[in-house]
Amino acid sequence: MAVTLGIYYLTPWIRWDRGPNLPDQAVLIDMAHRRFYFFWIEIWSHEFYFVAGLLIMAGLGLFLFTSALGRVWCGYTCPQTVWTDLFILVERWIEGDRNARVRLWNAKWDARKIRLRATKWSVWLLIAVATGGAWVFYFADAPTLARDLATFQAPFVAWATIGVLTATTFVFGGFMREQVCNYMCPWPRIQAAMMDPETLTVAYRDWRGEPRGKQRVEGAGDCIDCMACVNVCPAGIDIRDGQQMECITCALCIDACDDVMAKIGKPRGLIDYLALSDQEAEANGKPAKPIWAHVLRFRTVLYTVLWALIGVGLVFAMFIRADLEMTVSPVRNPTFVVLSDGTVRNIYDIRLLNKLGDDRVFALSLVSDQPLDIRLEGADLNIVTVPANETMLQRVYVSAVAGTPAAVADRIDLRFWVEDAITGERAFTESIFNGRAAQ
């Protein structure tokens, strides 16, 4: 919980120097400029395939861990679980252990109960506000937004986001808790397809615990039916009844049962991480399979290979992407224009993208089998300057002299070139020129 909450609350405050024209926040979702910054990585809006690839990797990772170790994501790192555990920790500090909290729940409303409940809810509310506040820092410069919030100069969308997240965190983490997992989250209903008898998950060794009973008689199992496993279960289920959708694999029942076994002088592991396929073998006195045999099997290896291939592909795409990009959009209304001297002109909108932190001077040209003339609107010598980390839309006119093959043809293939005047880096895009025959 400390690690996950630390990452969430502290990440927006990490600084990362990208130069004078770029934000110095290590992790930033810049909606205004449609960019995502993650330390040294910068993803533009047209490169959303990187985000899509990361989401696919996250899904495959969830499949992998669920197939190997059950719902470990739900039990240890899911935000709902993390904040629920934090709220329960606060509740324990203020109201006492489980027995004390049960007594307080059943007690009449008096000054002590009001004081404890008000104190607990106040701390919960502070945590919820901090949660919503930390989230908005991912979308703007954290120190600047913090100052604007403190002076009540922050935009309305920031206040609205904090308010919504505060309310949902307070209600979901403090009151609904595992009901969110049972009734709102789809993953419990999908997990059955990801798990099989070889999956290591929380389970009860019924061959050892049954028949259960509080009286120690000849032939009785190790389970004394103390209900400790049920009392600590956040979902309120009895793991001794077998695998159930509500189980989030938090392993609290394992700790509770091990404590009881230690007190009565029985071996630990009556409730443990185990594979259902080992139950019959253990019941017959045979050793269980080693952990690696459960983890390294065809399904998990397949998930791992797919996950790694997507990751390698994303890294490769990251390294080969260019700092200069160009897209060309012919203006089709009209398809071409005939000037007074018979010259046929086509109009194009060329979008130039400069991904570097400095202004760049670009020279535009074209190559075609037929003689064509290129001219840039508002620019001399077909040279334009694109600001650092900006996209520039430039209108371009391409003309064919009257009577030339290009002017009377249906269409002519051409290629636009853009070149950095300093570094010599080049990029090109294919397009077509429409003559009078295209009419």
Side-chain angles (χ1 to χ4, degrees):
M1 182 170 61
V3 171
T4 52
L5 290 175
I7 293 173
Y8 175 75
Y9 285 117
L10 299 179
T11 296
W13 300 95
I14 301 175
R15 302 292 95 184
W16 191 268
D17 186 11
R18 297 187 179 89
N21 298 311
L22 291 173
D24 61 356
Q25 187 162 309
V27 180
L28 176 64
I29 303 173
D30 190 352
M31 301 296 289
H33 298 93
R34 297 180 296 279
R35 250 170 281 176
F36 171 61
Y37 300 95
F38 185 81
F39 293 92
W40 62 90
I41 299 173
E42 179 181 349
I43 297 177
W44 292 62
S45 58
H46 67 284
E47 297 174 325
F48 189 80
Y49 55 87
F50 284 110
V51 179
L54 291 175
L55 293 175
I56 294 174
M57 289 184 66
L60 286 175
L62 190 59
F63 295 165
L64 169 62
F65 284 108
T66 303
S67 178
L69 302 171
R71 292 176 63 186
V72 289
W73 162 262
C74 301
Y76 295 99
T77 54
C78 175
Q80 174 65 22
T81 298
V82 172
W83 266 274
T84 296
D85 288 347
L86 178 60
F87 279 27
I88 293 176
L89 183 64
V90 170
E91 188 176 61
R92 186 181 302 118
W93 283 343
I94 295 174
E95 297 182 352
D97 59 16
R98 178 182 180 277
N99 293 332
R101 297 199 302 274
V102 171
R103 289 194 299 268
L104 183 65
W105 176 271
N106 295 324
K108 295 181 179 181
W109 285 93
D110 54 15
R112 177 178 177 274
K113 184 171 182 177
I114 294 175
R115 173 176 57 84
L116 293 177
R117 287 294 169 85
T119 303
K120 179 183 70 173
W121 292 340
S122 298
V123 177
W124 282 1
L125 188 60
L126 291 176
I127 295 173
V129 172
T131 301
W135 179 251
V136 298
F137 291 147
Y138 284 89
F139 295 85
D141 182 66
T144 303
L145 181 57
R147 183 177 62 252
D148 292 342
L149 290 171
T151 57
F152 298 98
Q153 296 178 350
F156 172 77
V157 65
W159 293 108
T161 303
I162 293 175
V164 171
L165 291 179
T166 296
T168 53
T169 304
F170 184 78
V171 174
F172 289 173
F175 298 96
M176 295 185 65
R177 299 182 178 178
E178 278 69 28
Q179 304 307 313
V180 174
C181 307
N182 295 341
Y183 300 109
M184 299 175 65
C185 179
W187 186 241
R189 291 152 184 82
I190 302 174
Q191 64 168 336
M194 299 295 105
M195 298 172 62
D196 56 40
E198 298 295 327
T199 301
L200 292 170
T201 187
V202 175
Y204 168 66
R205 288 188 168 95
D206 54 359
W207 59 268
R208 176 183 149 188
E210 303 297 327
R212 69 184 80 156
K214 297 185 181 300
Q215 301 296 325
R216 297 288 85 197
V217 296
E218 185 68 23
D222 289 351
C223 179
I224 61 173
D225 204 21
C226 63
M227 302 297 288
C229 57
V230 179
N231 292 335
V232 299
C233 179
I237 64 172
D238 191 341
I239 194 62
R240 296 172 298 178
D241 294 337
Q243 296 298 302
Q244 298 160 69
M245 182 194 73
E246 294 81 3
C247 178
I248 61 172
T249 318
C250 66
L252 290 176
C253 54
I254 295 179
D255 296 336
C257 186
D258 284 346
D259 289 343
V260 174
M261 291 297 105
K263 292 177 181 178
I264 66 175
K266 296 291 183 179
R268 296 160 56 98
L270 179 60
I271 301 176
D272 203 355
Y273 270 105
L274 59 96
L276 299 181
S277 61
D278 288 333
Q279 285 274 41
E280 184 176 353
E282 290 185 358
N284 295 326
K286 298 178 181 179
K289 292 181 183 178
I291 293 178
W292 66 265
H294 291 292
V295 175
L296 298 179
R297 60 187 195 276
F298 176 77
R299 173 184 286 190
T300 57
V301 171
L302 177 61
Y303 288 150
T304 304
V305 171
L306 292 175
W307 185 87
L309 288 176
I310 296 174
V312 171
L314 291 177
V315 173
F316 179 74
M318 185 74 67
F319 278 101
I320 67 171
R321 64 177 181 171
D323 295 325
L324 163 63
E325 293 186 12
M326 174 179 61
T327 58
V328 177
S329 300
V331 176
R332 296 304 187 190
N333 188 19
T335 304
F336 62 88
V337 176
V338 180
L339 304 183
S340 59
D341 61 355
T343 299
V344 178
R345 172 183 290 176
N346 283 204
I347 305 173
Y348 303 84
D349 285 332
I350 295 183
R351 194 175 298 274
L352 300 172
L353 175 60
N354 174 19
K355 293 184 178 180
L356 295 182
D358 301 314
D359 296 349
R360 304 174 74 180
V361 178
F362 292 145
L364 280 166
S365 61
L366 66 81
V367 175
S368 177
D369 294 336
Q370 302 295 330
L372 295 171
D373 176 66
I374 181 174
R375 185 172 66 84
L376 276 61
E377 184 177 77
D380 297 328
L381 302 177
N382 297 334
I383 294 176
V384 294
T385 300
V386 181
N389 287 282
E390 293 290 343
T391 299
M392 179 177 180
L393 184 63
Q394 176 65 50
R395 176 147 289 193
V396 176
Y397 302 103
V398 177
S399 304
V401 178
T404 60
V408 298
D410 181 8
R411 60 181 56 192
I412 299 295
D413 293 330
L414 58 84
R415 174 180 292 179
F416 286 99
W417 282 92
V418 60
E419 180 177 359
D420 189 317
I422 298 177
T423 66
E425 182 180 358
R426 305 181 74 193
F428 70 88
T429 299
E430 305 281 355
S431 189
I432 60 172
F433 178 87
N434 293 288
R436 303 187 69 166
Q439 190 170 13

